[in-house]
Amino acid sequence: MQAFADVKDNSDSGQFMAIQQAAAAALQHAELGDRTRVKYHRRLKKLVDALTKVGFKAKMPGGTYFLYAKAPKDAASVRSPTRRKRRNS
């Protein structure tokens, strides 16, 4: 049984073949990445704008799609419209 487990462990290593093929296609077609970058930038800008509007000091990151922003000091006292609606239901 251990020999079977060892063979299985070694044959299962690596990414699923469809993932490898998709990665290869993406590397051969740079425009796929360009479209994705444009979409992420648009979404991230909307998030930064929305957070800034409600008091966060958010700004567009340079070179990444991760966004880190400190919560405003008075964030604990702020109630979202969604939270109010659920509470009144």
Side-chain angles (χ1 to χ4, degrees), residues 38-78:
V38 168
K39 178 172 58 174
Y40 280 1
H41 185 270
R42 184 185 73 243
R43 290 178 178 177
L44 189 57
K45 176 129 179 52
K46 285 183 179 183
L47 178 60
V48 167
D49 292 346
L51 289 173
T52 301
K53 187 175 180 179
V54 296
F56 285 80
K57 291 183 180 176
K59 60 182 179 179
M60 289 294 289
T64 182
Y65 60 84
F66 294 104
L67 178 66
Y68 299 96
K70 287 186 177 182
K73 294 202 183 292
D74 61 347
S77 65
V78 175

Side-chain angles (χ1 to χ4, degrees), residues 7-60:
V7 169
K8 182 165 176 16
D9 281 348
N10 290 321
S11 65
D12 285 351
S13 63
Q15 289 293 331
F16 177 55
M17 185 56 70
I19 300 292
Q20 293 180 38
Q21 292 169 346
L27 291 172
Q28 293 171 359
H29 301 282
E31 70 277 4
L32 296 173
D34 295 339
R35 288 194 315 237
T36 302
R37 277 188 292 282
V38 168
K39 178 172 58 174
Y40 280 1
H41 185 270
R42 184 185 73 243
R43 290 178 178 177
L44 189 57
K45 176 129 179 52
K46 285 183 179 183
L47 178 60
V48 167
D49 292 346
L51 289 173
T52 301
K53 187 175 180 179
V54 296
F56 285 80
K57 291 183 180 176
K59 60 182 179 179
M60 289 294 289

